[in-house]
Amino acid sequence: MPKIKTRRAAAKRFKKTASGKIKRHHAYRTHILTKMSPKRKRQLRKATLVSAADLPRVRKMVPTI
C-alpha cells in the first residue's frame, strides 16, 4: 500500500491546536472590504475551528494533522 500524499494547499490552510482540534481562518477577508463594517472585519481576523461535518474531509486531505 503506498503512502498517502498530503494536499499541500490544504496543509497551508489548516493548523492543529494543542488539544487536537483543527484551526482555520475565516473567508471573505481579501477584497471589497469598504462595504463591510469595521466590526465584521475585526471578527474575521480571528481564527476559528473546523466544523464537525468538515473534519473527516480535512483529516483525509492532511493526514499528518
Side-chain angles (χ1 to χ4, degrees), residues 15-50:
K15 299 282 177 252
K16 193 159 121 178
T17 63
S19 61
K21 296 171 184 172
I22 299 177
K23 256 188 346 183
R24 69 169 177 88
H25 290 288
H26 281 101
Y28 308 109
R29 187 71 171 89
T30 53
H31 61 103
I32 316 177
L33 299 173
T34 51
K35 62 175 85 169
M36 209 179 281
S37 70
K39 180 184 177 181
R40 182 78 184 122
K41 286 189 275 193
R42 196 166 53 245
Q43 287 172 340
L44 289 175
R45 262 187 241 145
K46 298 179 179 177
T48 186
L49 298 175
V50 172

